[in-house]
Amino acid sequence: MVDYDQIIVHYHEVALKGGNRDLFEKRLKRNIATALRPYGIHSVMRLRGRMIVSLNPNANRPAILEALQRVFGIAYFAPISLAEQRIEAIQRRVLEHLGDRRFTSFKVDTRRSQKSFPMNSMEVNRVIGAAVQAATGARVDLTDPELTIHIEIFDNQAAIFTEKLSGAGGLPVGTGGKAVSLLSSGIDSPVASFKIMKRGIQIIFVHFHSVPYTSVASKDNVERIVEILNQYQYHSRLYLIPFLEYQQRITSVVPAPYRVIMYRRAMLRMAEAVALRHKALALVTGENVAQVASQTLPNMRAINEVASLPILRPLAGDDKIEIIEKAREIGTYEISTAPYEDCCSLFVPGNPETRANLKRVRELDAQLDHDTLVKEAIEAAEVKEFRWFKEEETETA
Ligand code: ATP
Ligand code: MG
């Protein structure tokens, strides 16, 4: 790869319909700056539908490329060479950019967003194409070239690049408000959180544990999962909520087949209380229709009714195999498959109800003072903050 001090960042214009453009771009700019801050960048500039990241001379370039791949809202990005906006200067820079690189076929793809430049895109393609052909002996191939030389003309300069890297897509985290995600240390809920984050939502995590009844392993695993997911939103809060007391109250009045449903209702109530505290507007779960007993439609209905906020279930219709693939890609799979005891397997013998009777659920439910139990659980919660970098780690000049 050529030496470079700038990176061009492109995003999908379709995301920008209506009045959201300014919000989207501001947030994207901020998120890029945050994501790259530990690695030595000088600035991020917004220029006509794209951004230019300028690097410090000693910047950690491989780390920067890796971190950019995790910034939601980016369609693609590329290390660039910049040239003055004159055709001779562009030509010289293109040849420098190619260096002694060998290729047998190529095309030039010019985008001109500054119409005051005297040549149109086709003319630039032709002139630069001829120069590259003369210098390298490679032939022009417009349909299946080995190398595409991109030239973008904007803002009184020209950017040249040949290495296009895919971005993560989605929308910049923070543009869509906040949601509370119920995070177990299983495979599904980390993937569900990831998918909603990718739609621009800042996630607050809640995890329910039954320590000391269950070991601390699920708590530790959840913290490791949040650390991984935090790489996409840079600042996360995790509520570790003790659930044992509430669970014991449930088991004292609810027969075994209905306990999982009651646990789930309790979890939603607690998650909603956290959401209200942070002005979050939705809940997120890793539920997947018919995957386990609590996720049949009758049971989902019986669980759902205690929440007033919308519950987002981004995995509802996915196959397990797709979810596992995604978990591997994100890097949470290994942690999720480490052994742990799940709080919901506590006090639950063999056969849970799969077709909950709503009337029965409500009768059982009415025996408990949920408001107080919720309040006590949340007051006893441990809240952990996760930050993408510590101040002393930054290399910024
Ligand atoms: P996961 O793989 O996410 O644990 P699952 O397939 O095991 O999901 P369940 O155990 O029925 O399914 O849980 C359904 C959803 O309830 C989870 O995806 C998660 O959102 C939430 N949940 C379950 N247990 C907990 C917990 N201990 N703390 C927080 N949320 C939980
Ligand atoms: Mg689970």
Side-chain angles (χ1 to χ4, degrees), residues 181-190 206-209 264 267 284-288 291-292 294-295 320 340 342-344:
S181 182
L182 288 82
L183 189 69
S184 70
S185 50
I187 296 167
D188 302 332
S189 43
V206 297
H207 175 70
F208 308 101
H209 65 83
R264 292 280 182 252
M267 284 184 183
V284 181
T285 75
E287 284 167 301
N288 182 243
Q291 191 188 88
V292 291
S294 61
Q295 295 171 21
K320 193 72 187 185
Y340 68 93
D342 185 19
C343 65
C344 279

Side-chain angles (χ1 to χ4, degrees), residues 112-352:
R112 181 182 64 149
S113 25
Q114 189 174 353
K115 302 298 173 196
S116 62
F117 188 69
M119 298 166 85
N120 68 28
S121 306
M122 293 296 288
E123 289 164 336
V124 176
N125 289 346
R126 218 173 303 124
V127 170
I128 301 298
V132 171
Q133 200 166 14
T136 65
R139 71 192 155 76
V140 173
D141 181 342
L142 297 181
T143 50
D144 187 25
E146 190 183 324
L147 184 75
T148 300
I149 301 165
H150 299 269
I151 300 174
E152 293 190 12
I153 294 172
F154 61 96
D155 206 61
N156 296 321
Q157 56 195 335
I160 295 144
F161 60 93
T162 47
E163 305 291 339
K164 240 167 119 167
L165 299 159
S166 294
L171 299 166
V173 172
T175 52
K178 289 183 276 190
V180 166
S181 182
L182 288 82
L183 189 69
S184 70
S185 50
I187 296 167
D188 302 332
S189 43
V191 177
S193 306
F194 177 88
K195 286 180 92 168
I196 297 303
M197 253 184 212
K198 186 171 171 177
R199 300 306 301 159
I201 311 294
Q202 179 94 29
I203 297 283
I204 297 162
F205 300 96
V206 297
H207 175 70
F208 308 101
H209 65 83
S210 312
V211 174
Y213 230 97
T214 52
S215 74
V216 291
S218 88
K219 263 171 78 176
D220 291 349
N221 287 350
V222 159
E223 284 181 37
R224 289 172 62 205
I225 288 168
V226 172
E227 232 156 67
I228 289 174
L229 294 173
N230 189 49
Q231 297 179 103
Y232 299 87
Q233 66 174 11
Y234 322 114
H235 178 212
S236 302
R237 251 197 201 92
L238 166 65
Y239 278 73
L240 292 161
I241 302 179
F243 188 30
L244 191 56
E245 185 123 340
Y246 203 156
Q247 272 184 301
Q248 282 168 336
R249 297 295 294 281
I250 291 171
T251 50
S252 69
V253 294
V254 176
Y258 274 84
R259 282 179 196 161
V260 170
I261 289 167
M262 291 302 171
Y263 292 167
R264 292 280 182 252
R265 285 166 68 103
M267 284 184 183
L268 283 186
R269 287 184 167 110
M270 292 184 278
E272 186 155 289
V274 172
L276 295 178
R277 184 190 270 200
H278 290 283
K279 300 191 167 63
L281 295 179
L283 305 178
V284 181
T285 75
E287 284 167 301
N288 182 243
V289 177
Q291 191 188 88
V292 291
S294 61
Q295 295 171 21
T296 61
L297 287 187
N299 288 3
M300 280 171 94
R301 180 180 177 213
I303 293 165
N304 196 93
E305 68 168 4
V306 302
S308 66
L309 292 175
I311 301 173
L312 308 178
R313 298 179 175 91
L315 309 185
D318 288 352
D319 285 337
K320 193 72 187 185
I321 201 151
E322 301 169 51
I323 300 170
I324 289 174
E325 228 166 76
K326 198 76 203 168
R328 280 190 202 280
E329 224 178 274
I330 304 166
T332 53
Y333 182 79
E334 295 299 318
I335 308 169
S336 295
T337 47
Y340 68 93
E341 299 143 79
D342 185 19
C343 65
C344 279
S345 49
L346 264 193
F347 323 119
V348 180
N351 32 23

Side-chain angles (χ1 to χ4, degrees), residues 8-52:
I8 197 163
V9 173
H10 275 274
Y11 31 95
H12 288 299
E13 299 284 315
V14 278
L16 304 180
K17 291 267 151 34
N20 287 331
R21 186 186 187 112
D22 195 54
L23 174 71
F24 178 104
E25 291 185 340
K26 271 193 187 135
R27 193 63 198 218
L28 181 60
K29 178 180 160 170
R30 200 169 114 193
N31 290 355
I32 291 172
T34 306
L36 303 188
R37 190 161 154 199
Y39 308 125
I41 63 159
H42 175 261
S43 62
V44 182
M45 280 193 303
R46 269 164 82 177
L47 294 168
R48 287 179 177 271
R50 49 177 72 72
M51 293 194 197
I52 302 289

